[in-house]
Amino acid sequence: AGSSDKTTNEDTSVKVTGLSVADVDNTSLHEVVLSVTNGTLTVKLDVTSGVTSAAGNGTNSVTLTGPVAEINATLADAAGVTFAPTANFNGSAVVSMAATDLASGGLTATTNTAVTVTVNAVDDLPTGADKTLTATEDTPLVVTLADFGYADIDTDVITGVKITTLESAGNLKLNNVDVTLNQVISKADIEAGLLTFQGAADAEGSGYATVKFAVVNTNGEDSTPNTLTFDVTAVNDEPVITVAGGAETEATNEDTSVKVTGLSVADVD
C-alpha cells in the first residue's frame, strides 16, 4: 500500500489518497479494511469500475470486498475515501489498511500507518443558551452574566453580549438608557449590574417579553442567537382615590348640609 499524509483543520473533512492494493498471485476476491484512530471514513460507492458497497461506511472501520481492480479504482479516485475528524478534535489521526486475499487461503497484509492526517486546531466561536427570567411588576430586574449561558470549548473568556433583537415589550436598559439594536453590552457593564429589564407600568404575565442575543468573545460572536424570555409576576397595587378638579372646596351655610361630589376610586387590579 502507498501512503500520502494529509493536513486539515478542525471540524473539516479531507480526501485520503495514495492507497492501493497489489497481489502478484491473485487479483480476484479480496477484502480491504480501512480503519482510523479518530473520526470516520466514508467510501464513495459510485466510482466507475469501483466497489458498490462498503460495510461500516461512515464509521471508523470500513470494509471493502471485491476484485483488486475494483478496490483500487475506488481507492484511486480523487474523492474515493473521505476522512472526517470527530467534532473539535485536533492532533494526529492514523488511517490503517489491512488487505486479505479471500481466494488464496486468507493471507493478510497490514499497513499500520497507511496515512497520517494532521488536524490543526481552530478556535471555535462561543455559544449561549436560552433562559427564562422572572421579574416583578413595576420593578427593574438586573440581568446577570450567568443569565446568557456562555460556553466556549476553547475556554476563551466572554467579552460581552450583542442584542440582536430588541425587547418585544417593556424596557431593556443599560445604565437607565434604552439599549439599541445590535448594541454590544460589555462584560464589565453587565457585571456592574447596569443591564436591567422592566415591564411597562402595571404590566404582568408569563412570557411577557423576549430579547434575542449573541454572546461575544475576542474571536467573534455566536452564529446562532439565543433568547431571553421574561415572565413578570403581578403585584397587587393600592387603590387610588381621586378628587375631581374644582371639587376640592364646597360652600354651605351654617346648619345646612351640602352634597360632596367629584370623588372616585380606581384599582388597576
Side-chain angles (χ1 to χ4, degrees), residues 172-194:
L172 184 69
K173 293 179 179 289
L174 178 65
N175 200 19
N176 294 319
V177 177
D178 288 337
V179 171
T180 58
L181 183 63
N182 293 324
Q183 182 176 352
V184 177
I185 315 301
S186 72
K187 174 189 176 189
D189 282 345
I190 297 172
E191 290 181 325
L194 299 180

Side-chain angles (χ1 to χ4, degrees), residues 89-159:
F89 169 81
N90 60 80
S92 294
V94 178
V95 178
S96 300
M97 185 170 72
T100 301
D101 182 351
L102 299 178
S104 301
L107 296 176
T108 300
T110 303
T111 300
N112 290 323
T113 55
V115 174
T116 297
V117 182
T118 300
V119 182
N120 298 321
V122 174
D123 208 319
D124 296 88
L125 293 174
T127 59
D130 297 343
K131 188 171 183 179
T132 297
L133 305 178
T134 300
T136 300
E137 179 185 327
D138 299 328
T139 303
L141 171 71
V142 175
V143 183
T144 70
L145 205 61
D147 292 332
F148 297 101
Y150 177 82
D152 186 85
I153 196 168
D154 303 302
T155 67
D156 296 319
V157 177
I158 186 173
T159 58

